[in-house]
Amino acid sequence: MAYVNTKQILEKANKEFYGVPALNINNLEFLHVIIKAAVAENSPAIIETSEGAIKYAGMGDIKKGTDLFVKMVKEFADSLSVPISLHLDHGKNFDIIMSCINSGYSSVMIDASAFPYEENLSKTAEICKIAHASGVSVEAELGKLVGIEDNVVVDEKEGSLVDPNEAKEFVDKTKVDFLAPAIGTSHGAFKFKGEAKLDFDRLKKVKELTEIPLVLHGASSVPVDIKELAESYGADFKGAKGVPSDILKESVKYGINKVNTDTDLRMAFVGGLRKYLKENPSEFDPRKYFKTSFELTEKVIRDRMKLLGSSNKA
Ligand code: PH4
Ligand code: ZN
């Protein structure tokens, strides 16, 4: 099978009420570990690359970056029985979005959420038209991901979350395939100053009105064991806090199907690397010193697949 359209993965998840992790990569090692985890869990997986990842992998050359990621992912996915897709995360640059479509990505995100609603709508509709003509599915975002500083001012936070009625009109007019409604998460390792909380009433309304697969950005949990392990080997992750597992599970119950996770993988990988190098100070072979990184990161991904319900859904 197994290099598929992201829409195929998410429509099944939507119908059968589970979430699929969307996991960011920047290099070959993260791809290896995701493939390993997906096969072990018999789970679908969505692999995503940000615009920064594409520039990094292509040494600044966008076409090289998008071609390389498609070749890498397809090379592994095509011989697997679990469905794997490749998605552009937070596409803001028209040339990068076009390069992903032309190289053969399974789906792209057009992130015009920084623009006023009408402009977001028209930009998203334009990308949908182009992408759909090539069989590529599209994600868009409504509302803004709330940063930690915004959490302090509640009114500002209110104003930046998704409006469910706008979401309905937006989906109808743009023909977007999946939608990321802002419901209170933010990117990175420092999401909440106080208690973690998402706006589930808003999420339920968006799902009820649109019925399409929904996406949760900023969904890393910052697992305590990973944080503590990394810190015991010298990392400084003071104040790091993510979305607790029970809240993630609840968000799937209310309609989230694509669960964007990057920070947890990065923390597990770097924690494992710190541990390995401390315990093996004379090792300098890259085929060996990622051993603990691989083990910890694979476990984080497999735990996430079990939690979201994508295990055995391949
Ligand atoms: N993302 C990941 C964004 C990564 O520029 P960049 O490569 O650093 O961008 O879209 C997420 O939603 C991940 O959320 P997380 O931070 O909670 O893992
Ligand atoms: Zn995101």
Side-chain angles (χ1 to χ4, degrees), residues 24 26 48 50-53 89-90 145 186-189 191 216-221 260-264 266:
N24 288 72
N26 290 276
E48 353 185 86
S50 66
E51 292 186 346
D89 190 25
H90 293 286
L145 296 182
S186 63
H187 287 142
K191 298 177 195 300
L216 188 67
H217 279 257
S220 275
S221 291
N260 277 29
T261 313
D262 188 4
T263 296
D264 286 353
R266 292 180 182 193

Side-chain angles (χ1 to χ4, degrees), residues 10-19 162-165 167-168 171 177-179 181 183 199-215 251-258:
L10 290 178
E11 283 188 341
K12 183 173 186 296
N14 194 17
K15 226 184 279 165
E16 298 177 22
F17 307 102
Y18 58 87
V162 66
D163 174 338
N165 293 318
K168 162 80 178 140
V171 168
D177 301 285
F178 358 106
L179 182 71
I183 55 167
D199 194 334
F200 285 137
D201 287 340
R202 241 173 246 267
L203 171 60
K204 282 186 228 168
K205 277 186 207 136
V206 172
K207 189 69 175 196
E208 203 180 289
L209 293 170
T210 65
E211 296 179 345
I212 65 170
L214 299 179
V215 183
S251 71
V252 169
K253 191 166 110 194
Y254 299 135
I256 293 293
N257 303 108
K258 176 173 177 280

